[in-house]
Amino acid sequence: MDEAVRSGDGALGRDSPREAFAPAGSQTLVRTPTDADPLAALPTRATDTLLVVSARDHPKRLETRLERAGLDPANAGVVPVVPTTCDYDGALWATDPVHPNDLTGVAMRFSDAIAHVESGSGWVLLDALGVLLMYADADRLCQFFQTLTNRVRAREVRGVYGANPDAIPDETFERLRSMCDDEYDLG
């Protein structure tokens, strides 16, 4: 795929926002307003192999969102990051759930799950960085995020990270943005 083109204001742009992501190995921070669904930005081919680290939705709801976005949940996996236990038996492959205050646990589940994402053509989506920030301080979140983006980049997988700039302090948002190659505004 051709690299995304930046407009005069620095925003990523294409005829379709679903084609706005750069080549394999690139990491994109997606500005997601509260009511926006970061899945809607992914191209249809993203579920050839897609791993979602979901701090936003229960796996069943995520499955429904994938279907609504025109993506095939049968080729997608999820690391459910949920504050309560969750049972799921559906089309997504899923790791054991992990509590959002356990970033080490999230990283461990992620490390196991990314092995199933196809190098060079796979995708990783972390849907809500702001939710993780509610459970961890900014330094821990940024350290976790750096580890995550480095692993995704090393696997030559596209990383897409949803962050609501209204829910994240400006300094923390800038730190997260500095670890990515591109930025995209879903709002």
Side-chain angles (χ1 to χ4, degrees), residues 48-66:
D48 290 347
T49 54
L50 170 66
L51 173 61
V52 180
V53 179
S54 184
R56 178 180 172 154
D57 290 322
H58 180 280
K60 184 63 183 165
R61 186 167 178 205
L62 176 62
E63 180 180 338
T64 301
R65 286 166 104 62
L66 283 165

Side-chain angles (χ1 to χ4, degrees), residues 113-170:
I114 197 168
H116 301 284
V117 178
E118 190 173 326
S119 181
S121 65
W123 293 73
V124 167
L125 171 70
L126 193 158
D127 62 6
L129 282 162
V131 171
L132 297 180
L133 188 57
M134 292 186 328
Y135 293 90
D137 67 44
D139 289 337
R140 271 191 76 221
L141 177 66
C142 289
Q143 183 179 22
F144 163 79
F145 188 65
Q146 183 172 27
T147 299
L148 187 84
T149 57
N150 286 342
R151 287 181 181 158
V152 172
R153 189 174 279 120
R155 183 115 178 121
E156 293 186 19
V157 171
R158 288 173 183 87
V160 179
Y161 310 99
N164 182 341
D166 295 332
I168 299 174
D170 291 344

Side-chain angles (χ1 to χ4, degrees), residues 36-120:
D37 181 2
L39 288 169
L42 294 177
T44 305
R45 71 183 178 342
T47 55
D48 290 347
T49 54
L50 170 66
L51 173 61
V52 180
V53 179
S54 184
R56 178 180 172 154
D57 290 322
H58 180 280
K60 184 63 183 165
R61 186 167 178 205
L62 176 62
E63 180 180 338
T64 301
R65 286 166 104 62
L66 283 165
E67 289 169 343
R68 251 188 266 139
L71 303 169
D72 182 6
N75 295 329
V78 61
V79 176
V81 183
V82 292
T84 60
T85 60
C86 81
D87 292 324
Y88 172 71
D89 184 27
L92 300 167
W93 53 270
T95 69
D96 290 335
V98 61
H99 195 278
N101 71 354
D102 183 7
L103 293 181
T104 301
V106 175
M108 290 171 59
R109 300 282 193 298
F110 172 79
S111 291
D112 291 341
I114 197 168
H116 301 284
V117 178
E118 190 173 326
S119 181

